Amino acid sequence: MADSLKTRVGRVIAGSMHALLDKIEDRNPQAVMEQAIREAEGVIDEVRHELGVVSANRHLAQQQHAKLNRGHEELRDQVSQALAQQREDLARAAVSRQIDIEAQIPVLETTLADLARQEQELQGFTAALLAKKREMQEALAEFRKSRAATESAAQPLGQVNVEQRLGRVTDAFDKVYQRQTGLDGTQRAGSLKQAAQLRELDDLVRDHKISERMAQIKAGQA
């Protein structure tokens, strides 16, 4: 695997979407994050291509290794037959070929070991890059969600004034209604209170999941 591609793989794995956001100076950080994910996908494609080449070369080397071993065995039988027929010249030719094969096999075995190491390395890079891509996609989804929440919270000034006036009218109605009937008036759950309750519910669910995971871990160690 070329050092330049290794460097790019390392840069993708070591990169952080949050660190990338800290350096963004333009007004379209989402586009920058999407571009980072596309670049990661490009590196993944390159690594997969190289993995395919290495796997194919290893397969060919295995076939050649098997072929040489079979040829060496066949030559041994031919040497025996030639000597049995007192054809020392043929036996010498067969032995000469055996020596050539014996010189090639160790080199081929070294090549096979190197290709197997490269294949394992590339498989690891592919798995790591796919995991990093999922992490980047999750970070982008969180960013989009936070941006949508911010935009929905930023209401027009006229709408805010209308809601404030409606709130004052409702409060006045509540007071009159309660004074006349002794009962509570309209019940308005504030959006901030509701949001806090929802966050509290999320925290409870997460704490429950953590407790279950810890229980499983402890049970496995027992």
Side-chain angles (χ1 to χ4, degrees), residues 26 76 90 107 121 133 137 145 152 157 177 222:
D26 59 28
R76 185 177 61 182
L90 297 179
V107 176
E121 181 183 51
K133 178 186 172 183
Q137 289 173 327
K145 185 177 179 181
S152 64
L157 181 59
Y177 187 86

Side-chain angles (χ1 to χ4, degrees), residues 96-160:
S96 176
R97 177 56 184 158
Q98 276 187 319
I99 292 173
D100 289 342
I101 290 176
E102 290 166 2
Q104 295 178 55
I105 287 178
V107 176
L108 195 54
E109 288 175 345
T110 300
T111 300
L112 277 169
D114 185 57
L115 289 171
R117 179 191 58 77
Q118 291 182 44
E119 189 175 36
Q120 185 176 8
E121 181 183 51
L122 288 166
Q123 288 171 345
F125 283 151
T126 302
L129 285 167
L130 289 172
K132 187 64 179 183
K133 178 186 172 183
R134 287 191 293 270
E135 178 185 313
M136 296 169 75
Q137 289 173 327
E138 290 170 2
L140 176 58
E142 290 176 3
F143 175 80
R144 286 172 173 166
K145 185 177 179 181
S146 65
R147 176 60 62 86
T150 302
E151 291 175 353
S152 64
Q155 299 175 332
L157 181 59
Q159 182 179 350
V160 173

